[in-house]
Amino acid sequence: MDCRKRVRDLTEDERRDFVTAVRKLKDSGEYDRFVKTHFETAYEQQSGSWRSKGQGPRNDAHGGPAFLPWHRKYIREFEKKLQEQVPGVTLPYWDWTEDAEKSGSFGQPEEIPVLSGDPNDPTDGLLGGITELSIDDDQDASNHSVGPVEDGLDPSDSYDWWIKYRHERTPLGEVSLVEYDSSDEERLRRSLDPVDDLPDAETVEAALQIENFYEEGFDWGTQSFRNVLEGWQPPPAENFDSPSDQPSSSAYLHNQGHVWIGGDMGPMTSPNDPIFFLHHCFIDKLWADWQARHPDAEQFPPTNSNAPDGHKLGTQMPPWNIDPGTTIDYRSMGYVYDESPPRVELTRPAGSPTTLAFNDVPEGRETSRAAVFEVVGCETSVTLEVEDVTAPFSVKPGMKTRTHSTDAETAQTEANVWLTYTGQSPGTNASGSATIYCPETDERWTVQLTANTISEPTAGVAVVLDESGSMASASGDGNRTRVQVLRDAAEVFLDLLPAGNSLGIATFHSDASPALSMRQLGGQGSSARSDARTTIRALSPTEPDPATDAGYTSIGDGVTTGRSLLSAASDVDERAMVVFTDGHENRPEYIADLEPSGTDDQTFAVGLGTPSQVRPNALQRLTNAGGPDEGYVLVSGQLSDDDRFLLDKYFLQVLAGITNREVVVDPQGRLRPESETSVGVLSMPFDVSSADLGVDVVVLSPGEHVFDVAVETPDGVVLEPGDMTGSGGQFVDGERVDAFRLQLPYDTGEGQARAGEWTVHLRINEKGFDRYLGQLEETNIDEYERTIASGVPYNLSVNARSNLSLDASVQQSSFEPGSSLALTAALDESGLPLSDATVTADHVRPDGTRQTVRLARTEPGTFAANVDDAAEGRHAFRVQVEGTTLSGDPFTRESLATGSVWTGGDDPLPSRKGTGGGDTLSELLPCLIRNDALEEYFHENGIDPEIVRECLERTGGN
């Protein structure tokens, strides 16, 4: 939407852009075609001569109702052509009433801002005055050159504005359209009248008071608005403060502007002077002002009137052959004026009646939907207020009355009025309505509301796990192997996956197989959960057989098997896949060759290892298959003793994403038993808001029953595991995990606990601690000594089932060193963008150094920061949010994200396609590399077989 401004309000850059666009259009030849088109509205060629098209002043574009719509279309087409030369430029309007009012301040007529401007102000002026460019002795001294820009915006930057077409008359009085070229030295002519001869504001106001757009008969003596604005008659005397103020002249308003400029503004080739378009832009604005003042008036002669064709609805207006009625709504043509009243329209929901549907809202979930309005206006503001909404629908705090603003650049905005519904009991249907009011336009809209509630969605989850031989290697976090790290993390995932969801397990190495068919999980002792636990504990690396698999990793085969498990999942509402690997794929099926599945709504990938080992570009392609927000990749890097819980945290975050939970806080540390130097208790507060529907307090430990845990409500009620006996609470007692799972509000027996500061209390369990120390003393003496000195490691994660969500991610367009990492975080509450927050990220670089990155708000609810020139390796981010909900409650959120950079990160992914040798060659060559004789040959000749193998893997064996 373009915003047209008065000449006086243009910035220097806007003036220069307009002048540049006009010059370029003139140079292109397009400008002169507009001149000829205007001339041809009045004359047509017959037998080689130009003949008048109409009667008197009436023609295609003048002397009748078409005058205003024709010129509205004409100058809009001109404006579009200017924008092809300089994008974003708009047509300004020349408000000559302001010049008439200040006539005494101008030494010469050309000093008005639209022409040369103030001679003492180099930034004033626009289209130049009447200064001679160059006059030969034999040249008529009245042939003045002005044009953009001569004595205008920049007097030193004059432009040779020559005339190509001019409407003249032969000595016999016949009409002639004379065509020149630049060598003829025909220049633009002006002959300015005194400034006080311009139409004044009182005359304009008198014209705007006229109620009828036209009068039947269309006589030029009528005082209809169109006839008066065109300038054939003055406004009625009674519309002036004093009848004696009515002007008496041969030309008024529009016609008077042409006469005042004189010269080339007089004949039908008047667009030769670029001021024509600024003058007609003001005429068009006055029509728009009249339309706003008389919205119920008949806007144009109907089809059955006696107006000529082109001057009434339902007929064609040349040369575009459009119905003049298509120009009545100027906003629909893509522009507004700086003083246009705002237009507010309800665009969604559409239809009659307008119905906003809250479909399939889960029980207890609060969901917001927007009634969407389009606000059109130049630098305008409107207020949209929800006057009334019927229960069970509501309006969130701060959303009842909101102001929406447009700017001059776009002149339009989308305004959302948010309405809210909270899911009732499953199967419930609801209906109601909301009334929305705009005081600036005095309009009201009634929106019908409908809703239905469903049960909390259940998920079918396929866990696809790597059993290749490398999983037997040490993990780096102590004395655990990689497969042990996987077993521990997968078992925590199993312990905390809520009952009612389904789980299936697939494994892969050189090939893939289903290890556990999709099963719906019951409680902690259910057979399905027990079978899954048995399957996880049985995970074992497959020793590579040089004769068969040569240590292959076929992630694509694992994904295909996982998809088969998901396709068999019944009675689930959502589907997700979690892929775990410690290496990169080197055997078909390759991820690049997989077709979109259509079953796994979300895909998450966890890589154990460095970026160069895991090569997560393939995994990112897999997680983006359902869209950029449907999953993500997390890479561990090289684990150390301090990373004992890292894979657990990754799996817990993925689980939170699958089950629609949010991480509130997720710290880790060590806790020592009570002693003279240690209190032996950790008390950690955390905030719960009214937007939270449930809370999970999860304690991870390296051994069974090492800690005792309790949760304290904001009212001081302490909840122990034994208190979790009712339907509102559950305690999960796993081998390495203890968790409270509470529905909110939680009935403590003394009251309802929900929003406020809760506290988790963690204490060493002496028996469990002694048992854990005994195990360490036999298996890991280094960790034993560290535990004696510093305490038992723990991870304390608080998750919330909530209407307030954080979506944090790292986006990469390249994986090569030196690339940029785009870190984004999106916050919303019940679907409403949430901006009252501080977002930071703890960034751990590949070399282990840290920095705190502050994410800046880029749009409502969205925060972003870039890490440029990223070094090779894993970049780990812990995104932390502190903010205030729409209800004013404090909240926190956390999320982990990783970026990966390595040499060769943008190399093509392995694929069967394009290898040239098919599967046989892609499998034969790596197998040959493992031949002892070839390896001996490579070593004797200084060839690293690992480099050869890596190159073969990158190209799929080609």
Side-chain angles (χ1 to χ4, degrees):
M1 188 69 67
D2 295 325
C3 176
R4 294 178 177 175
K5 302 163 64 174
R6 56 167 47 86
V7 168
R8 290 175 180 269
D9 293 337
L10 295 177
T11 65
E12 185 174 354
D13 286 344
E14 288 170 337
R15 290 168 182 257
R16 196 170 301 280
D17 285 347
F18 176 72
V19 166
T20 299
V22 172
R23 287 181 170 185
K24 287 185 174 182
L25 197 65
K26 179 72 172 176
D27 291 339
S28 73
E30 289 274 4
Y31 187 102
D32 293 309
R33 283 192 277 276
F34 278 89
V35 176
K36 188 175 183 183
T37 294
H38 189 267
F39 174 81
E40 289 173 342
T41 65
Y43 301 99
E44 59 185 350
Q45 279 194 314
Q46 296 179 2
S47 303
S49 300
W50 290 98
R51 296 287 183 265
S52 176
K53 278 188 173 183
Q55 178 183 5
R58 181 178 299 152
N59 51 51
D60 290 345
H62 305 85
F67 168 71
L68 291 172
W70 193 95
H71 284 87
R72 174 169 283 180
K73 173 69 173 176
Y74 179 70
I75 65 172
R76 178 57 176 161
E77 292 302 310
F78 179 79
E79 184 173 42
K80 290 179 179 178
K81 288 297 182 181
L82 292 181
Q83 291 168 349
E84 291 179 7
Q85 305 300 323
V86 179
V89 73
T90 57
L91 192 60
Y93 62 89
W94 170 35
D95 183 351
W96 17 256
T97 67
E98 294 180 317
D99 296 333
E101 180 182 353
K102 300 176 181 179
S103 59
S105 64
F106 303 112
Q108 298 293 330
E110 61 262 33
E111 292 178 12
I112 63 175
V114 75
L115 296 178
S116 297
D118 185 346
N120 299 315
D121 184 355
T123 67
D124 199 18
L126 190 66
L127 299 181
I130 58 172
T131 303
E132 298 173 3
L133 177 65
S134 61
I135 301 177
D136 298 331
D137 292 339
D138 59 350
Q139 185 176 358
D140 183 357
S142 66
N143 190 353
H144 302 298
S145 176
V146 282
V149 172
E150 167 72 15
D151 291 341
L153 183 63
D154 185 354
S156 66
D157 184 21
S158 60
Y159 179 83
D160 190 13
W161 191 270
W162 64 279
I163 299 301
K164 181 172 184 178
Y165 298 109
R166 180 173 279 142
H167 174 191
E168 297 181 354
R169 289 188 178 271
T170 67
L172 298 177
E174 295 178 342
V175 172
S176 172
L177 182 65
V178 181
E179 184 171 352
Y180 301 97
D181 60 36
S182 57
S183 64
D184 292 322
E185 297 189 359
E186 283 295 322
R187 303 296 183 263
L188 186 63
R189 301 167 183 169
R190 286 177 181 159
S191 178
L192 307 181
D193 287 340
V195 177
D196 57 8
D197 284 352
L198 285 167
D200 59 21
E202 185 181 10
T203 304
V204 168
E205 172 58 29
L208 291 174
Q209 293 177 29
I210 300 173
E211 295 186 355
N212 58 310
F213 180 82
Y214 70 97
E215 291 182 8
E216 285 286 352
F218 311 103
D219 184 86
W220 303 297
T222 68
Q223 289 183 310
S224 67
F225 172 73
R226 190 277 313 160
N227 205 47
V228 167
L229 184 59
E230 189 170 357
W232 302 113
Q233 291 293 322
E238 61 268 23
N239 289 2
F240 291 85
D241 293 339
S242 170
S244 62
D245 292 338
Q246 183 189 46
S248 176
S249 174
S250 60
Y252 307 94
L253 297 176
H254 157 261
N255 289 347
Q256 190 174 351
H258 279 267
V259 171
W260 189 88
I261 293 291
D264 277 307
M265 271 285 274
M268 277 295 168
T269 50
S270 53
N272 269 321
D273 193 330
I275 202 171
F276 170 98
F277 295 96
L278 283 64
H279 171 55
H280 269 274
C281 191
F282 186 50
I283 296 300
D284 184 70
K285 177 187 179 295
L286 294 179
W287 181 25
D289 293 344
W290 181 89
Q291 290 178 298
R293 192 177 294 195
H294 305 279
D296 298 327
E298 192 170 22
Q299 298 285 310
F300 207 70
T303 306
N304 59 1
S305 72
N306 62 0
D309 285 353
H311 290 260
K312 60 184 177 181
L313 299 178
T315 60
Q316 301 297 300
M317 188 170 65
W320 309 284
N321 295 325
I322 61 170
D323 189 320
T326 60
T327 70
I328 290 175
D329 180 8
Y330 63 94
R331 295 181 183 90
S332 69
M333 298 174 69
Y335 69 92
V336 291
Y337 288 99
D338 50 4
E339 296 179 349
S340 297
R343 183 183 69 185
V344 182
E345 289 187 342
L346 177 62
T347 58
R348 296 192 304 274
S352 181
T354 55
T355 301
L356 188 61
F358 294 76
N359 293 327
D360 299 336
V361 179
E363 178 182 10
R365 288 278 179 180
E366 187 178 69
T367 302
S368 295
R369 299 280 188 270
V372 182
F373 293 80
E374 182 186 56
V375 180
V376 177
C378 183
E379 295 182 292
T380 190
S381 295
V382 300
T383 300
L384 292 173
E385 175 186 351
V386 181
E387 285 189 325
D388 181 57
V389 60
T390 57
F393 303 93
S394 62
V395 182
K396 296 284 289 182
M399 295 291 129
K400 181 178 176 63
T401 301
R402 298 184 71 196
T403 299
H404 307 270
S405 301
T406 65
D407 56 32
E409 185 175 349
T410 59
Q412 67 184 63
T413 190
E414 192 174 79
N416 294 325
V417 176
W418 294 96
L419 303 166
T420 301
Y421 172 77
T422 300
Q424 311 295 301
S425 58
T428 300
N429 295 308
S431 62
S433 64
T435 302
I436 302 166
Y437 175 62
C438 177
E440 289 79 6
T441 63
D442 195 27
E443 293 176 283
R444 283 180 174 81
W445 299 265
T446 298
V447 178
Q448 302 301 317
L449 307 172
T450 63
N452 71 288
T453 302
I454 61 172
S455 300
E456 184 72 18
T458 58
V461 185
V463 182
V464 180
L465 306 176
D466 191 342
E467 280 192 315
S468 60
S470 58
M471 290 292 291
S473 304
S475 66
D477 73 343
N479 65 341
R480 291 190 299 173
T481 63
R482 295 181 179 183
V483 76
Q484 287 174 325
V485 171
L486 173 58
R487 290 179 195 140
D488 289 345
E491 194 162 344
V492 168
F493 184 92
L494 171 66
D495 283 332
L496 295 174
L497 184 60
N501 295 286
S502 298
L503 180 71
I505 301 175
T507 61
F508 65 89
H509 41 90
S510 57
D511 291 303
S513 61
L516 180 73
S517 60
M518 191 67 65
R519 301 275 297 278
Q520 187 179 69
L521 300 180
Q524 291 303 306
S526 68
S527 61
R529 202 177 291 267
S530 296
D531 290 345
R533 194 179 313 278
T534 300
T535 302
I536 291 170
R537 291 179 175 178
L539 291 172
S540 179
T542 301
E543 290 296 329
D545 182 353
T548 56
D549 62 32
Y552 288 127
T553 299
S554 180
I555 302 175
D557 273 353
V559 171
T560 299
T561 304
R563 288 177 173 178
S564 297
L565 292 174
L566 288 176
S567 65
S570 59
D571 298 327
V572 297
D573 304 299
E574 300 168 354
R575 292 175 172 82
M577 183 185 299
V578 184
V579 179
F580 174 92
T581 183
D582 76 332
H584 55 273
E585 55 182 351
N586 55 18
R587 176 185 174 88
E589 290 288 329
Y590 295 112
I591 291 174
D593 296 332
L594 296 178
E595 296 294 333
S597 101
T599 57
D600 45 319
D601 296 343
Q602 294 177 292
T603 300
F604 303 89
V606 176
L608 175 56
T610 65
S612 61
Q613 293 168 338
V614 177
R615 297 181 193 169
N617 52 347
L619 297 178
Q620 179 172 289
R621 176 168 179 159
L622 183 64
T623 60
N624 286 350
D629 299 323
E630 291 299 329
Y632 50 78
V633 181
L634 294 170
V635 177
S636 71
Q638 184 62 49
L639 297 184
S640 68
D641 290 342
D642 295 326
D643 296 321
R644 165 171 286 276
F645 298 114
L646 183 59
L647 266 293
D648 302 321
K649 292 161 79 80
Y650 282 179
F651 271 78
L652 282 178
Q653 181 171 300
V654 168
L655 177 62
I658 293 171
T659 58
N660 299 309
R661 283 168 166 76
E662 300 295 321
V663 180
V664 178
V665 290
D666 189 28
Q668 66 181 33
R670 286 179 176 263
L671 181 62
R672 296 170 60 192
E674 185 176 358
S675 66
E676 293 181 358
T677 59
S678 172
V679 296
V681 177
L682 170 72
S683 294
M684 187 195 74
F686 61 93
D687 290 319
V688 172
S689 75
S690 56
D692 298 328
L693 310 177
V695 63
D696 298 346
V697 178
V698 181
V699 179
L700 299 176
S701 64
E704 189 173 8
H705 299 155
V706 178
F707 298 110
D708 291 328
V709 60
V711 175
E712 184 178 346
T713 72
D715 294 332
V717 178
V718 177
L719 306 176
E720 303 283 354
D723 297 327
M724 301 292 100
T725 56
S727 60
Q730 178 191 6
F731 185 77
V732 177
D733 182 8
E735 184 172 305
R736 295 180 53 251
V737 60
D738 295 303
F740 284 85
R741 181 164 283 159
L742 304 173
Q743 294 184 21
L744 299 178
Y746 181 77
D747 187 357
T748 65
E750 300 179 20
Q752 300 288 314
R754 189 169 191 176
E757 184 178 271
W758 293 59
T759 305
V760 56
H761 301 289
L762 197 62
R763 181 188 299 272
I764 293 288
N765 180 293
E766 292 186 5
K767 290 183 179 180
F769 177 68
D770 290 341
R771 183 171 54 252
Y772 174 62
L773 280 181
Q775 294 170 352
L776 287 181
E777 192 172 18
E778 295 179 1
T779 60
N780 191 343
I781 193 63
D782 291 338
E783 178 60 24
Y784 172 84
E785 293 174 351
R786 188 176 184 186
T787 300
I788 292 294
S790 303
V792 182
Y794 68 84
N795 189 88
L796 183 53
S797 181
V798 177
N799 298 337
R801 189 168 64 91
S802 181
N803 293 313
L804 193 158
S805 67
L806 164 67
D807 181 12
S809 64
V810 174
Q811 300 296 325
Q812 298 180 240
S813 59
S814 170
F815 294 91
E816 293 284 350
S819 60
S820 293
L821 308 178
L823 182 61
T824 61
L827 281 170
D828 75 79
E829 181 179 346
S830 304
L832 283 68
L834 194 60
S835 298
D836 188 6
T838 299
V839 184
T840 60
D842 178 26
H843 173 205
V844 181
R845 303 182 183 93
D847 62 2
T849 59
R850 312 178 86 100
Q851 68 169 338
T852 298
V853 179
R854 185 181 180 91
L855 281 71
R857 194 180 80 173
T858 56
E859 58 184 71
T862 301
F863 302 79
N866 280 346
V867 175
D868 296 322
D869 196 21
E872 182 164 3
R874 168 183 175 264
H875 293 258
F877 299 91
R878 181 186 180 193
V879 179
Q880 296 177 288
V881 180
E882 293 185 3
T884 304
T885 69
L886 296 174
S887 300
D889 297 333
F891 75 89
T892 61
R893 291 291 185 267
E894 290 193 18
S895 184
L896 301 177
T898 60
S900 297
V901 177
W902 72 99
T903 301
D906 291 343
D907 288 352
L909 297 178
S911 169
R912 286 177 182 245
K913 301 173 182 177
T915 62
D919 291 345
T920 302
L921 184 60
S922 66
E923 295 178 19
L924 173 63
L925 292 178
C927 183
L928 288 174
I929 293 301
R930 292 186 176 273
N931 182 276
D932 292 340
L934 277 177
E935 288 212 12
E936 184 177 346
Y937 172 82
F938 287 151
H939 286 302
E940 289 175 355
N941 289 274
I943 302 172
D944 186 344
E946 289 301 321
I947 293 178
V948 177
R949 184 179 297 109
E950 182 176 327
C951 291
L952 288 169
E953 290 170 355
R954 287 189 184 182
T955 59
N958 187 22

